[in-house]
Amino acid sequence: MLLSDGQDNYAKAIDLQDISRLQIPVYTFGFGADHDSGMLNSISEGSKGTFSFIEDVGVVQDAFAQCIGGLLSVAVQDVQVHIQSFDPNICLSQLKAGGYSTNLAGDKKTGSVDLGDMYADEERDFLVLVNIPVVADGSSSDHMKLVSVRQKNRLQAAEAMSNSRAAAESGDLPRARSILSGCVMQMADTVSMQARDQFTFDLASDLEGVQQRMATPAMYASAGRPQLLAGMSSHSTQKAVFGGAAFKYILHEGYGSTIS
């Protein structure tokens, strides 16, 4: 675990390839308004750890306890999920698993997702997009529709966070806010939001919270950027992180709880 409350003042650059070659996840924590959230997120991302933003000194102990508790409850290691289509007419078109590595065979009949280590009682969700021939009865259950739309919303929110960060880093805060608000508006018309799904409601609330931290360049630098990175880290790994005041929820029951 790595906690930092300031900027890097060491002359030697960090080689992220060296970090990834260690095959040891580094869980980073940015404390206060002056830490280098970009560097800390790069370290955690390159090592397959997570980045947390600790805005209040009062939750430092909770943040560490949550992380250590997870590390002490590793149930399985090097998990790999294999997917195969046994129907000759159905092909896999895409695997979407956030920050986890995926592989899709050339014949589009088999694929796999590398999930790494998992803690006790953890869950991981990923989308398998398939090409299915049109049939006379194309009905599907309402529950399956809700689950599918819920996960699409999660992936779209993660993509919106990434695109919003890119716009903000280029100095275009109005566009950065617009990207997040546009994603919230898209979710408002989905089946999951209309069904008052708590998962989707919390997702939209978090995006709106981040927008409020992007009003000015100074506010973005001190709070908006680290909260965006914490959200991206959480959705990429589907693990609980601390995300500051804007992230009062982690958006999937399998992530665990976020404390802010």
Side-chain angles (χ1 to χ4, degrees), residues 155-202:
L155 292 171
Q156 288 174 351
E159 183 178 0
M161 288 180 184
S162 178
N163 293 338
S164 177
R165 184 202 173 200
E169 294 297 333
S170 68
D172 194 347
L173 286 178
R175 172 162 171 73
R177 294 192 297 268
S178 176
I179 291 171
L180 295 179
S181 62
C183 185
V184 172
M185 291 177 63
Q186 284 184 334
M187 284 191 288
D189 294 329
T190 62
V191 173
S192 57
M193 185 66 85
Q194 293 169 4
R196 299 182 179 276
D197 175 54
Q198 189 65 43
F199 178 104
T200 307
F201 178 80
D202 291 344

Side-chain angles (χ1 to χ4, degrees), residues 84-257:
Q84 181 174 358
S85 170
F86 290 98
D87 190 309
N89 298 313
I90 297 179
C91 296
L92 310 178
S93 64
Q94 206 171 1
L95 300 177
K96 293 190 174 184
Y100 295 103
S101 300
T102 63
N103 179 62
L104 188 60
D107 61 1
K108 301 297 182 70
K109 290 295 183 181
T110 61
S112 63
V113 181
D114 295 318
L115 299 178
D117 300 346
M118 293 185 66
Y119 306 152
D121 299 322
E122 271 196 318
E123 298 177 4
R124 294 287 182 270
D125 292 318
F126 53 89
L127 283 179
V128 180
L129 305 184
V130 297
N131 293 324
I132 303 176
V134 177
V135 294
D137 181 10
S139 61
S140 61
S141 71
D142 290 339
H143 175 71
M144 288 303 297
K145 287 181 181 178
L146 179 60
V147 171
S148 176
V149 172
R150 179 187 294 167
Q151 296 309 317
K152 286 181 179 178
N153 285 339
R154 178 176 64 82
L155 292 171
Q156 288 174 351
E159 183 178 0
M161 288 180 184
S162 178
N163 293 338
S164 177
R165 184 202 173 200
E169 294 297 333
S170 68
D172 194 347
L173 286 178
R175 172 162 171 73
R177 294 192 297 268
S178 176
I179 291 171
L180 295 179
S181 62
C183 185
V184 172
M185 291 177 63
Q186 284 184 334
M187 284 191 288
D189 294 329
T190 62
V191 173
S192 57
M193 185 66 85
Q194 293 169 4
R196 299 182 179 276
D197 175 54
Q198 189 65 43
F199 178 104
T200 307
F201 178 80
D202 291 344
L203 186 59
S205 296
D206 283 351
L207 294 179
E208 291 170 345
V210 175
Q211 289 180 64
Q212 297 173 8
R213 299 301 183 94
M214 305 176 80
T216 66
M219 186 178 293
Y220 171 72
S222 64
R225 179 188 290 122
Q227 286 177 342
L228 266 179
L229 292 174
M232 291 164 59
S233 177
S234 177
H235 288 300
S236 176
T237 61
Q238 295 188 51
K239 292 182 179 179
V241 303
F242 277 65
F247 285 96
K248 294 185 178 179
Y249 306 97
I250 279 297
L251 309 172
H252 183 270
E253 54 270 27
Y255 293 2
S257 299

Side-chain angles (χ1 to χ4, degrees), residues 38-82:
M39 181 192 69
L40 293 175
N41 181 69
S42 295
I43 292 173
S44 65
E45 189 176 50
S47 65
K48 300 188 183 303
T50 58
F51 165 68
S52 292
F53 172 38
I54 303 176
E55 195 169 16
D56 182 0
V57 66
V59 300
V60 171
Q61 183 174 347
D62 291 333
F64 277 16
Q66 175 181 281
C67 183
I68 293 173
L71 294 174
L72 294 177
S73 65
V74 173
V76 288
Q77 294 182 298
D78 299 326
V79 177
Q80 186 176 74
V81 178
H82 294 268

